[in-house]
């Protein structure tokens, strides 16, 4: 516990030093697959927590949500958890600040979560039927069930054929490669795939992502009139 406290103080010390110099941090959090980014200034740090004031509205932010802080002068990203927030004053209190172990990396392509359940079939060993968690023109996140807890580790780096039917479009058979495997529970696995679509397949995927992106931003602007879309430089790369 002492070691964790020391790590926490180390992160806070760096944040306070930057904050006192007037630095504006980037506060990032996800919504329906999109990455929303807000400029935020440090107000104060105390009791292993830090309070920031956002320059914009904080749509869909809620307690216990995981967020990320980054700044050009930070050696790594900082992960944190929303302890509480005051929407009217755009204040958010973060706890659990910790280094992520990796620097900020801008993402090239946006990823969205389908508005309705979307099924896909993944031809691995064995063949898996799953639900699409998020999709980009060159990536796919798929939730599947696997009873053998050791089997998913064998999928890493394997080539796979994905069968996917987007709403109102014909069935697509996409070449892909397993890039990540994460266990959400004993049997629920998220498989991250890099897709290698043909030209027409890429056009269909891009059209679906753009349409869904617009729907998500419209949803946010309807709930929060002062909402501003995420900047182009924070597009997501799978």
């Amino acid at each position: 516990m002492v070691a964790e406290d020391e790590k926490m103080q180390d992160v806070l010390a760096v944040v306070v030093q930057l904050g006192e110099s007037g630095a504006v941090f980037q506060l990032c959090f996800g919504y329906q697959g999109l990455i929303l980014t807000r400029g935020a200034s440090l107000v104060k740090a105390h009791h292993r927590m830090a309070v920031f004031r956002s320059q914009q509205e904080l749509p869909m932010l809620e307690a216990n949500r995981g967020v990320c802080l980054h700044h050009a002068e930070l050696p790594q990203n900082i992960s944190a958890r929303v302890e509480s927030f005051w929407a009217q004053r755009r204040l958010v209190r973060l706890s659990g600040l910790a280094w992520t172990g990796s620097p900020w990396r801008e993402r090239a392509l946006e990823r969205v979560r389908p508005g309705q359940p979307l099924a896909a079939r993944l031809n691995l060993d064995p063949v898996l039927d799953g639900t699409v968690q998020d999709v980009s023109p060159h990536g796919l996140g798929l939730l599947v069930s696997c009873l053998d807890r050791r089997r998913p580790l064998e999928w890493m780096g394997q080539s796979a054929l994905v069968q996917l039917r987007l709403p109102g479009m014909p069935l697509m058979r996409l070449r892909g490669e397993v890039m990540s495997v994460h266990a959400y529970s004993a049997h629920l696995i998220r498989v991250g795939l890099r897709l290698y679509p043909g030209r027409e397949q890429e056009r269909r995927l891009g059209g679906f992502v753009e349409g869904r992106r617009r729907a998500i931003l419209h949803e946010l602007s309807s709930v929060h009139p002062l909402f501003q879309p995420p900047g182009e430089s924070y597009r997501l790369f799978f």
Side-chain angles (χ1 to χ4, degrees):
M1 187 65 182
V2 173
E4 290 300 319
D5 286 344
E6 290 176 352
K7 290 180 182 178
M8 179 74 69
Q9 294 302 322
D10 176 55
V11 174
L12 281 177
V14 174
V15 168
V16 168
Q17 183 178 6
L18 279 175
E20 289 178 344
S21 70
V24 177
F25 297 85
Q26 297 300 308
L27 175 66
C28 305
F29 54 98
Y31 178 71
Q32 297 290 341
L34 292 181
I35 301 298
L36 307 181
T37 303
R38 297 289 180 270
S41 301
L42 180 68
V43 176
K44 62 179 177 179
H46 64 101
H47 302 302
R48 302 171 61 192
M49 297 185 188
V51 179
F52 291 85
R53 186 187 304 278
S54 173
Q55 296 178 343
Q56 300 168 257
E57 296 293 315
L58 296 168
M60 304 303 177
L61 203 60
E62 57 190 10
N64 293 319
R65 176 187 286 269
V67 299
C68 176
L69 280 172
H70 73 94
H71 187 277
E73 295 187 25
L74 285 175
Q76 302 173 15
N77 284 339
I78 295 174
S79 64
R81 185 179 66 256
V82 175
E83 189 73 21
S84 60
F85 68 99
W86 188 353
Q88 291 82 355
R89 297 189 63 183
R90 301 177 183 175
L91 293 173
V92 57
R93 183 171 61 174
L94 304 179
S95 63
L97 282 76
W99 299 116
T100 64
S102 61
W104 174 256
R105 183 177 61 180
E106 292 187 358
R107 294 165 171 176
L109 297 173
E110 282 182 325
R111 167 170 37 181
V112 296
R113 183 168 297 170
Q116 301 293 332
L118 190 61
R121 173 165 289 182
L122 183 59
N123 290 329
L124 281 170
D125 181 19
V127 174
L128 299 165
D129 289 317
T131 302
V132 175
Q133 187 179 40
D134 46 63
V135 60
S136 79
H138 291 276
L140 186 71
L142 193 62
L143 290 179
V144 301
S145 177
C146 181
L147 298 180
D148 185 349
R149 298 182 64 179
R150 295 170 296 180
R151 180 62 62 86
L153 297 177
E154 302 173 2
W155 301 339
M156 285 293 298
Q158 287 192 21
S159 298
L161 182 68
V162 181
Q163 297 182 51
L164 173 66
R165 189 189 303 275
L166 297 173
M169 299 185 191
L171 180 69
M172 289 191 294
R173 293 177 172 84
L174 298 150
R175 294 187 303 110
E177 180 183 0
V178 178
M179 304 300 293
S180 63
V181 177
H182 298 289
Y184 280 1
S185 66
H187 305 301
L188 187 62
I189 310 295
R190 183 189 186 281
V191 182
L193 294 135
R194 183 184 297 276
L195 299 179
Y196 302 101
R199 182 174 300 177
E200 178 60 22
Q201 292 174 331
E202 184 176 17
R203 185 189 68 79
R204 292 175 182 172
L205 287 166
F208 173 79
V209 170
E210 179 59 23
R212 181 67 186 132
R213 172 183 176 273
R214 291 179 179 178
I216 293 169
L217 296 182
H218 177 72
E219 176 184 340
L220 285 170
S221 63
S222 299
V223 178
H224 298 269
L226 297 179
F227 168 73
Q228 298 179 20
E232 293 295 312
S233 63
Y234 300 107
R235 290 178 176 273
L236 185 147
F237 180 77
F238 196 98

